[in-house]
Amino acid sequence: MEIISENGEFKDIDAQALLDKIGQAEIFRKVKRKEIPYTTNSFLKVFVGIGKIYTPNFVMDKDNSFTYSNIVAWALGHPFKCYSPDGKSVIDGDTAKGLYIYGNTGTGKSLALRILDVLCQKCGITVQFSNHSVILGWDNTRSTDITNAYAQNGDSKKYIDNYIQCIQDLGSEPHETLYMGNRVNVLRQVLEARGDRQDRLTLITSNYQLSEIDSDGMYGNRVASRLVAMCNFFFLGGKDRRI
């Protein structure tokens, strides 16, 4: 890379110095995590204990142990595993990404995020967004709550701007919401906007895996592509535990 000096001659730019300056200025803001000095096993015991407070029938078994143990490790900022976006293999997770938990109705997806929220807040776990630190906690907002709010005021900015946003039951909401004569796919709008930010965490539960989210009838490949960049993928199997 070259620039013209005052005397009209070209000179080399100090590329590394400029890159260091850009990095120090944090022009591209990102999520920063640090490892919390609790063991994953002890944190997991409390996770299960909170689940039993919520419902005596709460159990950790072969259908949920992989997901439960690894989302606990994610919360602590420890190395963890998750599923590849296509669900066919196990890969290393990324603590700077959020969570996407999918599975059939009643397998405990929403409850898992409620428990994790309580646990993180009570332990005071924090996340750094550039120079801004916030508690790792969230409102467990249903996707229908977001569309209902938009139908009332035509505004989804709150859900785009929240540093940490949990969206429960993605796909259960109406895919078009009417406001002032305009029909909008609100969740598509929210997810596309959040996916263009590197300084946000998004947590999602859904009955749908990524291949279904990618279909034109739901959110399309723009959202699916952003979800890959935004989230670590997990699956909860087993029977309907509400029955």
Side-chain angles (χ1 to χ4, degrees):
M1 183 175 180
E2 296 177 317
I3 60 173
I4 299 176
S5 63
E6 291 182 359
N7 61 11
E9 296 178 353
F10 287 100
K11 66 177 183 180
D12 291 334
I13 192 170
D14 188 339
Q16 189 57 55
L18 180 57
L19 290 170
D20 290 343
K21 187 175 182 180
I22 292 171
Q24 291 164 9
E26 295 187 330
I27 293 172
F28 303 105
R29 298 179 178 178
K30 295 184 178 181
V31 177
K32 296 179 181 178
R33 302 288 304 278
K34 62 180 180 180
E35 288 195 65
I36 307 300
Y38 298 128
T39 66
T40 299
N41 284 341
S42 64
F43 213 60
L44 185 60
K45 287 180 182 178
V46 181
F47 178 93
V48 174
I50 295 172
K52 290 185 178 297
I53 292 173
Y54 185 86
T55 170
N57 296 327
F58 185 87
V59 295
M60 188 169 75
D61 56 26
K62 62 180 180 62
D63 293 315
N64 58 32
S65 60
F66 176 85
T67 291
Y68 286 173
S69 58
N70 280 287
I71 64 173
V72 161
W74 169 86
L76 290 170
H78 294 181
F80 69 97
K81 299 290 185 180
C82 62
Y83 292 110
S84 59
D86 62 10
K88 294 180 179 180
S89 60
V90 172
I91 61 175
D92 291 332
D94 184 348
T95 57
K97 293 183 179 183
L99 305 174
Y100 187 106
I101 305 175
Y102 67 96
N104 293 331
T105 298
T107 53
K109 303 178 297 295
S110 297
L111 179 56
L113 288 189
R114 290 193 187 102
I115 295 170
L116 199 62
D117 168 46
V118 171
L119 184 53
C120 290
Q121 292 203 52
K122 292 299 182 183
C123 291
I125 295 175
T126 60
V127 180
Q128 190 83 10
F129 297 94
S130 293
N131 294 322
H132 186 67
S133 181
V134 301
I135 293 290
L136 182 57
W138 49 87
D139 292 330
N140 285 277
T141 308
R142 289 177 57 86
S143 60
T144 50
D145 295 334
I146 297 175
T147 55
N148 289 341
Y150 187 87
Q152 293 295 318
N153 56 33
D155 188 8
S156 58
K157 189 174 185 298
K158 167 186 174 182
Y159 305 105
I160 293 170
D161 288 346
N162 283 337
Y163 281 106
I164 304 173
Q165 179 63 57
C166 175
I167 303 172
Q168 298 274 18
D169 299 316
L170 179 68
S172 66
E173 80 287 348
H175 291 163
E176 286 190 338
T177 301
L178 182 65
Y179 179 76
M180 299 290 286
N182 295 316
R183 295 184 180 276
V184 176
N185 187 321
V186 180
L187 269 297
R188 176 184 289 175
Q189 182 184 75
V190 168
L191 292 171
E192 284 187 1
R194 292 187 67 84
D196 289 334
R197 304 283 297 268
Q198 290 185 303
D199 58 343
R200 296 291 183 266
L201 279 178
T202 305
L203 298 90
I204 296 170
T205 66
S206 179
N207 290 344
Y208 301 98
Q209 56 185 316
L210 187 65
S211 60
E212 295 169 299
I213 292 292
D214 196 8
S215 67
D216 290 336
M218 295 195 73
Y219 308 102
N221 58 12
R222 285 172 58 86
V223 168
S225 175
R226 284 163 173 78
L227 287 173
V228 171
M230 293 161 63
C231 295
N232 300 285
F233 287 82
F234 292 96
F235 173 71
L236 276 178
K239 62 180 182 179
D240 187 335
R241 296 172 188 271
R242 296 193 186 101
I243 298 174

